[in-house]
Structures are given as structure tokens and as C-alpha cells.
Amino acid sequence: MRADRDYYGTPMEKSVKKIVVVGAGTMGSGIALTAAQSGIHAVQVDLAQSQLEKARGYHTKQLGRLVEKQKISADDAKSVAARIVYSTDFSSARDADCVVEAASENPEVKKKLFKSFVETFDAETILATNTSSISITDIATVTGSRATHVIGMHFFNPVPVMKLVEVIRGLATSDETVARSLDLARAMGKTPVPANDRAGFVSNRVLMPLINEAFFAWMEGVARPEDIDQIMMLGCNFPMGPLRLADFIGLDVCHDIMMVLYRELGDAKFFPCPKLRQLMTAGRLGDKSGCGVFDYPAKA
Ligand code: NAD
């Protein structure tokens, strides 16, 4: 039986038909594409026109690859692309079922956005954040009575490939918001798993100290970066080494997540290693800037 049909083959009503994705970087562009591939209309929003163009280029490239590999037809690729619109403003999409915020990992940026979500979107719109580490309850403080509709939907990178969505309810999140968010995650082909509202939830609380320690090992000359990664891959069965993964996530994003963990949990082990901070200051942010711990000339 197809996932979008009932027992009799009748297309099922999707409870989410239109989403707004705020932030068109690594995560936002992946979330918008995955939604469109699942038949959901997506409005891709960013402050920067250049980021919207980059996201559009990424969508075109990904869909082209799927056509080349004969995973979808050229017509299907066109329909998916037609379901995404790009805008520097979300006020025209007030009737969206859900807004997923995927802007920078900064509490002030997110709170400012959530304040304007309340002013913009219909009362029933789910207000979801893709934050990696910031408290959902804290973000919801700026939404007043709409805190019932605020939830964490933590997608993973690359979104079209990774199956997990960590779902985090804040103190005031309603059962209905949780149910509708689980529906959305499943409609996008994902497996939602609940986690409680503590800084970093499960994934980043466990992952970030590992990444940070890999930077310390490199800084202290324990091994070369490529050897640190190879040791963790061959010895611990990791599919990707921690330093390569840090580049993939973005060194600025790792830094911001570690700072939230450090501030909220008060443990020095989360404070970003000087080596990581040095690379970030130099603009070596990982894949997205063409270099980080390693070089990516094709992406520069
Ligand atoms: P990114 O730096 O690639 O993209 C962030 C985008 O947000 C940029 O395009 C920026 O222009 C835009 N932006 C910033 N402020 C904005 C605003 N006020 N309105 C609209 N757009 C705005 O970051 P990313 O890696 O995509 O991360 C986005 C969020 O997802 C963060 O909260 C991050 O912690 C989380 N996250 C990241 C990963 C990862 O692997 N990179 C994984 C899971 C979750």
C-alpha cells in the first residue's frame, strides 16, 4: 500500500499542506526540498537573497541528480520544484499549516522571529523550531498564549537523507501540536523520536563533547586531523569522523551549539576548543565556505 493512499487506494488528506521554512541555509534548504518531495507546498524564506539563490541552486541540483539516477521522472522533478517558492518575507503565507524556523542558532534571533510569527500566522499554525540546542520553553516565552503551538522539530543533515526528527515539546506545548508535528514528520518520510526540553536534547548533548574533544586532540598534537577521523571510523565504526562531521555541520553552528550547552549546563567540557574558534574566526566554516578542518575546493 502506498504511504499517501488508504486501504482502498484513495489519496489520504494530508493534515499539513503548506509550510514556511525560515532560513535557507544548510538545514532550511533541505527541509523545504524534503517537504516539496512529499507533496507539501513550501515557502522558502531568508533575509539574504543570495541565500535564496543558493537554496534554489541546491534544489535544482538535487532534483537533477534524482532524474539522472532514474529515481524520479523529469516531470516529477518539475512538479517538486514548482511546489517551492522563494521569498525574503513570510507575511504573504499567513495561512501556512506550519512554520519551521531554521535560522541561526542564536536565542535572540529565534525569539525575534517567533514574536513576528505570532503577529503574522493564523492562530492554528504550528510554530516549530529546528534548533539544535536552545530550550523550546524559552523560545516560547515570546509567544504568549500561542506557546501551546510552539514545538521543537530537530531535523538532521542532510535532511533529504537522514531519517530522524527529534521532537521536543516545551512546557506549554499542547497534545494536538505534538500530534500534528508527528504527522508532519511522518508525511515527510521521517521517524520522529521524542526528547525532553534540556539544552542540546539528546543528539547534540552527546555529539558536541565528542567533536570538541577531537579538536583538542588535534590541537594537542595527539594525531593529524585525517588520522583522528580514520581512527574513529575504523576503530569505533563511525560512518564519518568527528572532524569531518564538524565541517559538515558548520564550525560556526557547532560553536553556537557548544556555547548554548556551556551556558545552560554549566560544564566546561562544552566550551568550544580554541582550535575550533580559531578556524571559525578565520571564516573556515566547513563545507559551506569551501574549507574548514579540511578543504573542499569543489564547494568553494
Ligand atoms: P546556516 O548558517 O547554514 O543557515 C542559517 C540561515 O538563516 C542563513 O541563510 C541566514 O541568512 C538565515 N537567517 C538568519 N537570520 C534570519 C532571519 N531573521 N530571518 C530569515 N533568515 C535568517 O545554518 P544551518 O546549519 O542551516 O542551521 C540552521 C538551524 O538549524 C540552527 O538553529 C542550527 O542549530 C540547526 N541545525 C543545524 C544542523 C546542521 O547540521 N547544520 C543540524 C540540525 C539543526
Side-chain angles (χ1 to χ4, degrees), residues 126-267:
I126 294 174
L127 310 177
T129 172
N130 185 49
T131 179
S132 303
S133 57
I134 301 166
S135 159
I136 308 307
T137 305
D138 187 25
I139 293 173
T141 53
V142 298
T143 64
S145 62
R146 298 273 285 280
T148 48
H149 286 63
V150 177
I151 193 157
M153 288 187 77
H154 185 207
F155 290 84
F156 287 75
N157 184 17
V159 182
V161 176
M162 299 296 279
K163 284 281 167 217
L164 177 65
V165 179
E166 228 177 354
V167 176
I168 307 106
R169 64 187 300 164
L171 200 59
T173 310
S174 70
D175 291 345
E176 194 195 337
T177 298
V178 174
R180 287 173 63 204
S181 306
L182 295 179
D183 275 356
L184 171 60
R186 293 192 186 107
M188 289 172 71
K190 305 299 176 200
T191 305
V193 179
N196 285 328
D197 191 18
R198 288 281 284 155
F201 322 122
V202 174
S203 51
N204 282 307
R205 184 168 180 161
V206 176
L207 175 64
M208 286 301 149
L210 174 88
I211 287 179
N212 212 22
E213 207 53 44
F215 275 96
F216 275 110
W218 175 24
M219 190 177 78
E220 290 171 16
V222 179
R224 299 179 307 165
E226 53 273 38
D227 295 334
I228 292 171
D229 273 8
Q230 208 178 12
I231 286 166
M232 297 309 289
M233 282 159 49
L234 298 182
C236 301
N237 219 9
F238 284 17
M240 188 186 269
L243 294 171
R244 175 72 191 90
L245 180 57
D247 273 354
F248 192 57
I249 293 170
L251 299 191
D252 52 340
V253 176
C254 289
H255 172 272
D256 292 349
I257 297 171
M258 287 178 198
M259 285 307 292
V260 173
L261 287 162
Y262 172 66
R263 278 195 301 265
E264 293 299 317
L265 302 174
D267 192 326

Side-chain angles (χ1 to χ4, degrees), residues 22-29 31 45-48 51-52 88 90 101-106 109-110 112-113 129-134 154-158 204 245 248-250 252-253 256-257 288:
V22 179
T26 310
M27 295 305 291
S29 59
I31 295 168
V45 178
D46 203 288
L47 286 175
Q51 285 295 93
L52 291 172
T88 49
F90 46 75
E101 172 277 316
S104 317
E105 187 70 353
N106 175 319
V109 170
K110 293 195 190 293
K112 209 168 156 204
L113 278 169
T129 172
N130 185 49
T131 179
S132 303
S133 57
I134 301 166
H154 185 207
F155 290 84
F156 287 75
N157 184 17
N204 282 307
L245 180 57
F248 192 57
I249 293 170
D252 52 340
V253 176
D256 292 349
I257 297 171
K288 64 184 165 189

Side-chain angles (χ1 to χ4, degrees), residues 37-67:
Q37 285 179 299
S38 314
I40 297 166
H41 290 268
V43 183
Q44 174 94 78
V45 178
D46 203 288
L47 286 175
Q49 188 63 40
S50 58
Q51 285 295 93
L52 291 172
E53 290 313 322
K54 213 168 152 188
R56 192 198 297 272
Y58 165 72
H59 297 155
T60 307
K61 196 168 162 190
Q62 289 301 108
L63 291 170
R65 273 196 193 148
L66 292 175
V67 173

